Amino acid sequence: MCTIQVPTKNSKPIWLSNPSYTHLLSKHPTLLSLLQNSNSNSHLKQIHAHILKSHDPNSLTALLEFSALSDPKRLDYAIRIFRSLNPPTIFAFNTLLRSLSASNHPHQSVHLFLEMLHCGIAPNKYTYPFVLKSFSAELALLPGKTIHGHAVKAGSASDPFVHSSLINIYSICGEIMDALKLFDRTPNRDVVCWSAMISGLVRQGRFREALGLFNEFQIAGLEPNESIMVSLLCTSAHLGALEQGKWVHMYIQRNGVHLSIKLGTALINMYCKCGVVEDALKLFGKMKRRNVLVWTALISGLAINGMGRRALDMYQEMLRAGIRPDSVTFVAVLTACSHGGLVEEARECFDAMRREHRLIPKVEHYGCMVDVLGRAGLLNEALDFIKSMPIEPDIVLWRALLNACSMHRNVEMGEFVGKFLIHQDPLYDGNYILLSNVYAQAKRWADAIVVRNIMKERGVKKCPGCSTIEFNGVVHEFFVGDKSDPQFKELRPMLDEMSRRLKSAGYVPTTSEVLLDIDEDEKQEVLCYHSEKLAIAFGLLNIDSIMPIRIVKNLRACVDCHSATKIISMVFDREIIVRDRSRFHHFKGGACSCQDFW
């Protein structure tokens, strides 16, 4: 008899949809009715006993299906039923594989698959997706390749569900080119196949390719499923492509698509990351079901848009609604405190996390606290906080302190932390740049040059400043100082006009932001061609004056660009929304929503 190890009871919901899978229960309506009305394990056992007396193996297999798929808590009971089958059928194996692949212990399904082969039962096209799902959860590429070979030999690799599962595991494990090769070789691509490939590209951060593939999907005349819509919303959020995100929302409304928790959370995240917080709040208000994911998405969105107080109010409202916060919620809450300079509130929330909610802070929570203290200029307290941590501080946490040292021009501490970071993480460009900034701000040019030279010797290249802006459904990209861009000639007159109006309004370039030992005129020219200024010029030329100019930047907004953008919003009478690496800046009438605290 084939056996399987019994996993622990802490399992996730198991109902997985597969339209090609025929449920045995549908052929036993009376039994199905009895099982659905079963409200206790004792009742379930009575039904089990009745089936055993009737000697009906099909009913016993139907009972296995119900126990395995209806409730994670019944999985161990399903395993006991499975072990009583002699011999177990392919359907029984597939049912249990399906349940185990979605549990907290997916590796158990691999053990069952091996036992299945040992029993001489040949897998079919329904078997492979469940096993591959387990390998995907474990990020086990090599065994996944073995199953791929097995499926090819069995003639099942061309099945749409098997093919999609293979695309999924290759993309999850970072082998995106292999996933694309599989996708290109698929003769009849269904929605599931497209979904697997688009989701894979999004998962690997290849958002532009995902958007391009979705355009091909539309040309193919197919209707997107929930997975594709969530992936598209994630892409829109990352690129700041509001129009694309709105299209998804309109599609949901126009086609009467059920607004699930997953879709609703993705929409809220998209609106917040495109700087349209009011639309996110409206959507949140219309959602009938709100779990911790939905609340956390909104709190996080308010935080990055500089609405710290409102984010904390929403957190309190969440508690009053009886929703228990998780560790991700507290990252959002502490981020809100950081961007709002709410030091005391951050301390209270950090204490409440441990004391009231019995959550053990992780390194990211300690990092948020260091960021809160550092941004507020409490550098010594931040350093003492790090030293008193019960867990080992990571690189990101130390980098938050170095960023605060650069912001508040603490050369002594900045030098100590910067050298430590370069020693610990010698290939990350930001460590060198921040330490160089600390030296340059103190006019220690020789030390700044030494740091830059070490960076060059080690082959570490600075990530170039890049800003994107969406126009007519196309995302345009601008790089700092890139005069070779074909659009640069078109932008030059507007850049000159921007410069003229800025000077008339009393703007003085913050040349200390140019960390090069060159003369003032050269520094001013360098500042003129920062990526966000190029994107703003493009927006002023192309986007209707009643519409906000929305820009996404890959780095932190520099002091000069921040000052210039405030004045540009005033002299051109335009609303400009810039999302930098960590937060939003809403510029209007010469002021910024961050109140110069970022």
Side-chain angles (χ1 to χ4, degrees):
M1 187 183 295
C2 297
T3 60
I4 180 169
Q5 229 177 322
V6 179
T8 60
K9 295 181 181 179
N10 297 322
S11 303
K12 295 177 182 177
I14 287 173
W15 290 100
L16 303 174
S17 60
N18 187 333
S20 299
Y21 201 84
T22 303
H23 289 286
L24 190 60
L25 277 170
S26 63
K27 299 178 181 179
H28 295 71
T30 304
L31 177 60
L32 177 59
S33 177
L34 283 171
L35 290 171
Q36 285 178 336
N37 292 320
S38 175
N39 54 12
S40 67
N41 286 337
S42 61
H43 190 199
L44 191 66
K45 288 176 182 178
Q46 288 176 17
I47 297 170
H48 189 179
H50 179 75
I51 291 171
L52 290 175
K53 287 180 182 179
S54 68
H55 302 288
D56 182 359
N58 287 334
S59 293
L60 192 59
T61 307
L63 178 64
L64 165 66
E65 181 187 14
F66 178 81
S67 301
L69 303 179
S70 64
D71 188 339
K73 294 177 182 178
R74 289 174 173 159
L75 179 55
D76 55 347
Y77 191 76
I79 291 170
R80 286 199 291 273
I81 296 172
F82 175 84
R83 293 175 67 179
S84 71
L85 298 175
N86 192 14
T89 63
I90 179 67
F91 181 88
F93 269 108
N94 285 346
T95 299
L96 203 51
L97 280 168
R98 178 182 184 181
S99 180
L100 288 167
S101 68
S103 73
N104 284 347
H105 302 273
H107 63 278
Q108 296 288 351
S109 66
V110 179
H111 297 164
L112 182 60
F113 177 73
L114 295 175
E115 290 183 18
M116 180 179 176
L117 297 179
H118 182 70
C119 290
I121 296 178
N124 61 19
K125 63 182 182 179
Y126 303 118
T127 310
Y128 294 109
F130 302 139
V131 181
L132 288 166
K133 178 180 173 64
S134 301
F135 286 132
S136 299
E138 298 285 323
L139 297 179
L141 180 61
L142 187 58
K145 286 184 175 180
T146 303
I147 297 298
H148 185 180
H150 199 286
V152 170
K153 290 178 183 177
S156 297
S158 59
D159 177 78
F161 282 97
V162 177
H163 215 72
S164 299
S165 299
L166 287 166
I167 291 170
N168 189 55
I169 188 171
Y170 280 115
S171 62
I172 283 177
C173 294
E175 299 292 332
I176 199 70
M177 296 311 296
D178 287 339
L180 284 165
K181 287 176 185 175
L182 273 172
F183 179 78
D184 290 338
R185 290 203 298 264
T186 307
N188 299 308
R189 301 169 186 159
D190 63 1
V191 176
V192 177
C193 185
W194 283 92
S195 175
M197 193 65 253
I198 292 171
S199 299
L201 289 167
V202 170
R203 195 180 292 113
Q204 294 299 319
R206 299 172 74 150
F207 299 102
R208 292 181 179 282
E209 290 173 73
L211 207 54
L213 196 61
F214 178 72
N215 290 335
E216 291 182 36
F217 172 83
Q218 286 182 298
I219 292 169
L222 298 172
E223 296 294 322
N225 59 14
E226 180 178 89
S227 176
I228 288 178
M229 287 188 283
V230 169
S231 294
L232 193 58
L233 288 168
C234 181
T235 300
S236 302
H238 181 84
L239 296 175
L242 178 62
E243 294 309 311
Q244 188 74 66
K246 279 186 172 180
W247 180 90
V248 177
H249 195 181
M250 287 174 62
Y251 179 89
I252 291 168
Q253 294 174 321
R254 189 170 59 246
N255 292 277
V257 176
H258 170 63
L259 189 62
S260 65
I261 290 290
K262 197 172 182 181
L263 264 180
T265 303
L267 276 167
I268 288 170
N269 182 57
M270 181 276 297
Y271 278 123
C272 287
K273 288 191 175 177
C274 289
V276 193
V277 179
E278 292 307 316
D279 284 0
L281 286 164
K282 286 177 187 176
L283 179 67
F284 178 82
K286 292 177 182 177
M287 289 186 68
K288 294 179 180 178
R289 288 184 59 231
R290 303 171 189 161
N291 66 2
V292 66
L293 298 177
V294 179
W295 283 92
T296 299
L298 186 60
I299 293 167
S300 178
L302 292 167
I304 62 172
N305 278 277
M307 302 177 183
R309 290 286 180 190
R310 201 166 181 182
L312 292 184
D313 289 343
M314 192 60 63
Y315 167 65
Q316 292 299 327
E317 190 176 328
M318 170 185 166
L319 296 180
R320 287 192 293 272
I323 304 294
R324 180 182 173 83
D326 60 16
S327 60
V328 181
T329 308
F330 278 101
V331 171
V333 170
L334 292 171
T335 299
C337 294
S338 178
H339 291 319
L342 308 173
V343 178
E344 288 307 315
E345 290 83 350
R347 289 183 178 129
E348 289 174 10
C349 289
F350 189 78
D351 289 340
M353 178 183 178
R354 295 174 296 182
R355 187 180 63 255
E356 296 175 22
H357 301 286
R358 299 292 187 267
L359 292 171
I360 299 172
K362 299 177 183 178
V363 70
E364 53 264 37
H365 301 106
Y366 286 101
C368 286
M369 282 303 299
V370 170
D371 195 47
V372 169
L373 297 169
R375 286 177 185 271
L378 303 172
L379 300 179
N380 290 326
E381 186 178 343
L383 184 58
D384 290 340
F385 183 84
I386 293 173
K387 291 177 180 178
S388 66
M389 284 172 53
I391 58 176
E392 189 70 24
D394 67 357
I395 294 295
V396 177
L397 190 147
W398 282 106
R399 201 170 289 137
L401 182 58
L402 179 56
N403 185 65
C405 291
S406 175
M407 187 188 308
H408 294 285
R409 306 199 175 194
N410 188 317
V411 181
E412 184 180 356
M413 189 183 294
E415 185 173 36
F416 164 75
V417 178
K419 287 181 177 179
F420 171 77
L421 276 170
I422 289 172
H423 175 74
Q424 293 292 316
D425 191 7
L427 298 180
Y428 180 69
D429 66 309
N431 298 331
Y432 298 90
I433 302 302
L434 282 171
L435 180 56
S436 179
N437 290 358
V438 169
Y439 285 138
Q441 287 164 350
K443 304 294 189 219
R444 289 171 56 176
W445 297 111
D447 290 324
I449 290 169
V450 168
V451 173
R452 297 281 178 146
N453 287 339
I454 293 172
M455 187 178 174
K456 288 178 184 177
E457 288 168 8
R458 294 178 178 176
V460 180
K461 293 185 179 179
K462 180 179 183 262
C463 177
C466 172
S467 295
T468 58
I469 183 170
E470 183 189 29
F471 175 62
N472 282 345
V474 178
V475 179
H476 298 263
E477 199 170 47
F478 297 93
F479 288 90
V480 59
D482 186 9
K483 298 180 184 179
S484 63
D485 190 312
Q487 296 181 99
F488 185 79
K489 287 183 180 179
E490 299 173 20
L491 298 180
R492 190 59 188 264
M494 178 53 72
L495 287 167
D496 290 341
E497 177 66 11
M498 284 165 54
S499 180
R500 186 186 66 77
R501 292 204 196 184
L502 281 168
K503 286 179 181 177
S504 297
Y507 160 75
V508 178
T510 312
T511 54
S512 60
E513 286 290 296
V514 182
L515 304 173
L516 300 170
D517 194 10
I518 55 179
D519 66 40
E520 286 296 304
D521 289 340
E522 290 175 297
K523 286 183 178 183
Q524 288 187 27
E525 185 174 357
V526 168
L527 290 173
C528 282
Y529 304 127
H530 275 195
S531 64
E532 55 264 65
K533 290 195 178 85
L534 298 177
I536 288 171
F538 178 88
L540 290 171
L541 280 171
N542 295 286
I543 295 175
D544 193 291
S545 60
I546 63 171
M547 300 295 294
I549 296 172
R550 303 177 188 279
I551 294 166
V552 177
K553 186 180 178 181
N554 65 333
L555 303 176
R556 180 179 179 271
C558 76
V559 173
D560 179 75
C561 285
H562 192 269
S563 300
T565 307
K566 283 197 296 183
I567 299 173
I568 291 170
S569 72
M570 179 179 66
V571 296
F572 284 89
D573 192 23
R574 298 294 299 267
E575 182 181 0
I576 303 171
I577 301 171
V578 178
R579 187 181 94 202
D580 70 9
R581 187 173 58 190
S582 60
R583 66 166 299 156
F584 273 88
H585 300 267
H586 295 255
F587 298 94
K588 191 172 183 180
C592 179
S593 60
C594 76
Q595 298 179 344
D596 298 338
F597 184 86
W598 79 97

